[in-house]
Amino acid sequence: MDNLKEINLLIKCLKSLIEDKEVPSVPPEEIVNIEDFGEIYASLLEIRNVFIALGKGELTYPIKSKGYFPGAIKSWQASLRHLVWQTKAISAGDFSQRVAFLGEFSESFNSMTERLAMTINELSKQNKEKEKREVELIKAKEAAEAANISKGLFLANMSHEIRTPMNGIMGFLELLNMSNPSAEQKEYIREAKSASAVLLYVINDILDFSKIEAGRLAMEESRFKTRTAIEDAVSLHVHKAFEKNIELYSMINANVPEEVIGDAQRLRQVLNNLIGNAVKFTEKGEISVTVDCLEEEDEIALLNFVIKDTGIGISQENFQKLFHSFNQVDSSTTRKYGGTGLGLAISKELVALMGGEIEFESTLGEGSTFKFDARLQIAKRAPDHSYVFKELAGVNILIVDDNPSNRKIAVSYLGGMGCKVFEAKDPGEAITAIISKVNTRDKIDIALIDYQMPGMSGFELAASLKAIPFAKDIKLILLTSAAQRGGAKEAEQLGFAGYLIKPIKRDDLHNCIAIVLGLKSEENTEPIVTKYVVQESLDKRKPKILLVEDNEINRKIVIAMFKTRGIACDVVINGLEAYQAVEKKDYDVVLMDCQMPVMDGYKCTAKIREMEGSSKHTTIIAMTANVMEGDREKCIQAGMDDYIGKPINFDDMFQIIESYTERGRVSSEHFNFIANYIEGFIERTGISRDDAEEIFADYAQKLSQILQEVENYLANDDLENLRILAHKQKGTAGNLCITPIYNLVVELEEAVKKREKEECLRIYKEVQKLFH
């Protein structure tokens, strides 16, 4: 074939075009014999470029060649452009577009368009339904929120309306009980008070349960004394336990922090529920409350509480019913013992909010043990009482009690003071122990004697001991479960030097022994030391009190309760009158109702704070039936110092009043002492008297905290921080020209440097004596 060489070259060029490779250079003279080679080559090259352009999405690439194939390419290109346009129309929602080319492709495309249109229509319907449901849900949510707000307002109003007359009922019952009623009348009063207390518990449970349901049960964060909160919770149930002849005692281990940060009220609520159940379901035997600190990590204490009783117990098949709302183990229990069935459910929620868990063990007919943990921030660790009460080391004490648990508690509390403690389980063993030790180093100095023991009572044992010549000098302290005033007088007549109510409180026991031995409160002229000595000191100081209350019944009750303590108070009936009264007269405490006509307690408090500024601060205590979530916070934010809920617990009220008047009294004592040195300070510095008095008043206010810090450093053997504090206070006392304090602090700093602990303690007590 003559043109074979040229044809091969042509094929090679075409193959290169198809494979997108570089076309070999062919001299034109070598292919002149191939007809139309240039035209074929150009068309193929153009076709290749068209496909490259289409791959890049360029649907309008120009085709210059003519003929069938280039024409087909142009038609295809146009079809693709039309397809793109139709696709855009479909994406915009126009499903009427149809494709009439490319055979099977057109059928598939048109079918897809139809299905897509149906799907879009269905989705559109669903979206409309969804939007409709969303609108309905929003309306339902708004209705539920409105209902919840209405429910909250209703509960708050009902709580207020119920608590106000309850305050009157319980207050007048308390006053009636003080009016020397007959034995029969006392029984009626007791039953009425008991019924009122039950009603109040029911109200509180329902309110708390409603908060839990709404997810609005919040915890406060405030500093409180751990031991006080626990012992107060136990004390509430002493009378009921005594009536049932049940022994109730508490044991708080020495490693429990002295002060923590948390919600004291909620902690007491859990303890009240569990201890109350224990008393309710126990007919004989004893109930113990034990508290321990399991661990400390990152200044958080894990406290463990154990409440154990010898009551009716719970069968295993009823375990799952506990901790559920409105549930008790069986209907007969509900009828016999009463209750809402909410206490344990609420306690479980509260314990969870305190970072702990609650669990229980029980045997039917033998008793139950409930345990729970609480994680609380440590504010102040327990001091070493054995160091603070160093003089008690070596004191021999005999505890006489037929209950081994009570003896164990006394041994634990007294052993921490360095005392030597002996035990006797009955009066006969006590007399034997006293006689056997009379001529030894273990001669008994103090005897703690239980009132009620088999064979011989505590009073009979005291009479026997006073008849023994070598035993008559033993200091006797009576321990009794009969919590009533007046018992101290009979105990005094029988030779007792002290009288304490069980369950034994460690600090009461320590202070009672220290006072009986003449180591504390030398000015105390009470013939017998009782738990009421401190409480009754409020009567002697007669603080100036303003009562702000619009309810006539509540006014009568509070005024009458003050009269029982020999205290008078001024009375106004609204916030405006209260503001005017405080403007004219200085009060130690203002008891402020919150809801009053003319001006409420919140606005009145704000105006008083604005009037006083930073130069003065009158103690204002809210006294209100508003006990819903946020009410306490609202009072504090308004500028009030504390809060008492109605119905009023008058023991709590007097304790709160005393705590604030005591602070003022201490500061006053400090100021009265240091004020003697103002003249010298003015003479040396040339400062004005007003400025000098302000400086000295500020120093007097801080003295209590300074003395407390010294005691803590001594108790915890922290001599380095004690040295720093002593050096700082040396400079302050020197600058203020308070010579006695300056001289003692100089001695203290030197004693610390020499690490003479006994000398440090002696100097600390000398500083204390300056103010007493």
Side-chain angles (χ1 to χ4, degrees), residues 138-150:
I138 290 171
K139 290 181 178 178
K141 179 174 178 290
E142 290 174 348
E145 288 175 347
N148 197 41
I149 291 171
S150 298

Side-chain angles (χ1 to χ4, degrees), residues 167-187:
N167 186 59
I169 294 169
M170 298 181 78
F172 281 123
L173 286 173
E174 189 70 29
L175 291 171
L176 190 59
N177 200 41
M178 294 179 180
S179 63
N180 196 26
S182 66
E184 185 179 13
Q185 290 169 332
K186 280 187 176 181
E187 180 63 19

Side-chain angles (χ1 to χ4, degrees), residues 139-319:
K139 290 181 178 178
K141 179 174 178 290
E142 290 174 348
E145 288 175 347
N148 197 41
I149 291 171
S150 298
K151 176 184 173 183
L153 290 173
F154 172 77
L155 286 171
N157 289 332
M158 286 303 297
S159 171
H160 186 276
E161 292 303 317
I162 293 172
R163 284 172 180 277
T164 299
M166 281 291 293
N167 186 59
I169 294 169
M170 298 181 78
F172 281 123
L173 286 173
E174 189 70 29
L175 291 171
L176 190 59
N177 200 41
M178 294 179 180
S179 63
N180 196 26
S182 66
E184 185 179 13
Q185 290 169 332
K186 280 187 176 181
E187 180 63 19
Y188 295 157
I189 292 169
R190 188 188 67 79
E191 291 298 333
K193 288 176 68 176
S194 177
S196 300
V198 169
L199 178 57
L200 190 59
Y201 276 125
V202 171
I203 294 168
N204 290 336
D205 280 352
I206 292 172
L207 289 175
D208 282 339
F209 183 69
S210 68
K211 293 176 190 176
I212 291 171
E213 278 193 319
R216 296 171 58 195
L217 188 64
M219 305 293 283
E220 291 185 5
E221 292 291 327
S222 59
R223 182 167 176 159
F224 66 92
K225 291 186 179 295
T226 321
R227 186 174 292 273
T228 301
I230 297 166
E231 290 176 338
D232 285 350
V234 176
S235 295
L236 285 176
H237 304 275
V238 169
H239 183 72
K240 189 66 176 178
F242 175 72
E243 287 181 340
K244 299 179 74 173
N245 199 27
I246 300 168
E247 195 78 40
L248 172 61
Y249 57 86
S250 60
M251 171 68 178
I252 304 172
N253 289 328
N255 61 354
V256 173
E258 184 171 350
E259 292 184 14
V260 294
I261 296 174
D263 195 326
Q265 181 181 353
R266 293 303 187 184
L267 177 61
R268 283 194 294 262
Q269 185 176 350
V270 175
L271 287 169
N272 284 335
N273 275 328
L274 297 179
I275 299 170
N277 280 345
V279 174
K280 183 193 297 184
F281 297 115
T282 302
E283 298 301 330
K284 60 180 180 179
E286 63 183 32
I287 299 167
S288 65
V289 180
T290 308
V291 186
D292 195 8
C293 181
L294 299 183
E295 62 181 50
E296 292 182 10
E297 185 176 354
D298 297 330
E299 296 302 307
I300 300 294
L302 178 61
L303 301 187
N304 177 251
F305 300 80
V306 180
I307 296 88
K308 185 176 183 180
D309 65 61
T310 57
I312 62 175
I314 306 165
S315 63
Q316 195 161 0
E317 56 267 26
N318 286 317
F319 279 11

Side-chain angles (χ1 to χ4, degrees), residues 749-765:
E749 185 180 19
E750 288 300 316
V752 172
K753 288 179 181 178
K754 296 177 183 178
R755 304 192 68 81
E756 296 174 345
K757 297 180 184 178
E758 296 292 338
E759 181 65 8
C760 290
L761 181 61
R762 183 195 66 78
I763 295 168
Y764 163 66
K765 292 185 175 179

Side-chain angles (χ1 to χ4, degrees), residues 251 399 405-416 421 448 479 504 509:
M251 171 68 178
I399 169 71
S405 297
N406 284 333
R407 297 199 304 271
K408 179 182 177 182
I409 292 169
V411 169
S412 174
Y413 287 171
L414 295 171
V421 187
L448 304 174
L479 305 177
I504 302 170
L509 180 61

